[in-house]
Amino acid sequence: MSGEKAFATWEEAVVWLRNQPDQRQLVLDAFYDDPLVGAAERYFQSSEWQAITELLAGRCGTALDVGAGRGIASYALARTGFVVRALEPDPSAIVGAAAIRNLVRQTQLPIRVVEEFCERLPFADAAFDLVFARAVLHHTRDLEGACREMFRVLRPGGMLIAAREHVISKEPDLPQFLAQHPLHHLYGGEHAFLLDRYTGALTAAGFSAIDTLAPLQSPINLFPYTLETLKSAIVTRLTQKVPVAPLWRTAFASRLVFGSLLSMAERFDNRPGRLYSFVCHKA
């Protein structure tokens, strides 16, 4: 991108990004476009959120959206039936707490904003039925402390969904991931941990069961792809090597065959920063 620079705040970086015509798709994929209510509704309709609602399995009650950003997940949680507390330390009217408050005024959804960091949650023990954290854990200054706090504020039987967390296979992969990240160079703040670091922190926090969703296992980790658009992209790539697109489409028409392909691909997926999600239960 021409004219790249480092910015003092995330809001400045996002405003600059939105003004780059060649980055329109990235802005849309990250839900940074306006009007915010339209971006939030698009997230609510996304295959990522539909996969999350399957994990919720009819749960309801109170939800804490940690690191809520501009509020797209808070909106989706409220639309799903939760009473939501949106935790967001950035006061920004574009990417932070003020943006969420404007969204609440427009939609009248049951969302209340709290400006604080997840390492020190200003809530009583066992206050929430659900804690939702989308791309949050890899940003924390104290991963273990943040996990302990999320466990503390969950009620017995409650669930934590930590979605879309960047994973590296070995520590030397981190610089490569940061260099490849499309937004890190604008403001910084990105990070990634070893898979064992995430699961170890969640286990030490007290979670009794942790389901790990691998990068190709769930639409949560595929976005902006869906299973269908990913299939199309793979067919296109394979056709460039062996130009028989109808054959590839026929081969992948079966969900079982395509699922088996992705399962095999998982064994060789060592991309620095690939996405994992964690579904954690409090006994």
Side-chain angles (χ1 to χ4, degrees), residues 218-269:
S218 169
I220 299 170
N221 301 324
L222 293 179
F223 195 83
Y225 286 110
T226 64
L227 286 175
E228 290 305 314
T229 59
L230 178 62
K231 184 187 301 183
S232 177
I234 292 174
V235 167
T236 299
R237 181 69 63 86
L238 290 174
T239 301
Q240 292 171 352
K241 298 180 179 298
V242 183
V244 283
L247 175 62
W248 295 124
R249 281 194 289 269
T250 300
F252 296 152
S254 165
R255 281 185 172 271
L256 181 60
V257 171
F258 188 60
S260 298
L261 172 70
L262 294 183
S263 180
M264 288 188 292
E266 287 284 4
R267 305 175 190 176
F268 307 98
D269 186 6

Side-chain angles (χ1 to χ4, degrees), residues 40-57:
E41 179 63 22
R42 199 171 69 253
Y43 177 70
F44 179 66
Q45 299 294 339
S46 71
S47 60
E48 176 187 332
W49 185 255
Q50 300 314 306
I52 288 168
T53 58
E54 292 180 9
L55 296 175
L56 295 176

Side-chain angles (χ1 to χ4, degrees), residues 5 29 35 51 69 78 108-109 136 138 160 168 173 186 189 198 208 222-223 236 248 270:
K5 57 180 291 187
D29 291 345
Q108 296 299 303
L109 288 169
V136 169
H138 65 267
L160 162 67
I168 51 176
D173 286 347
L186 294 178
Y198 290 110
S208 58
L222 293 179
F223 195 83
T236 299
W248 295 124
N270 294 307

Side-chain angles (χ1 to χ4, degrees), residues 61-79 81-89 97 100-101 104 109-116 118 121-124 126-134 136 150 153 155:
T62 56
L64 174 63
D65 181 14
V66 177
R70 62 200 314 246
I72 60 169
S74 294
Y75 174 94
L77 287 163
R79 285 285 309 273
F82 287 91
V83 175
V84 181
R85 296 292 177 267
L87 189 89
E88 175 51 53
I100 306 173
R101 291 189 177 101
V104 174
L109 288 169
I111 302 169
R112 192 177 77 190
V113 182
V114 179
E115 295 186 39
E116 186 55 270
C118 62
L121 296 177
F123 306 108
F128 297 97
D129 299 289
L130 173 72
V131 174
F132 185 76
R134 183 180 188 266
V136 169
M150 294 180 200
V153 300
R155 291 173 182 151

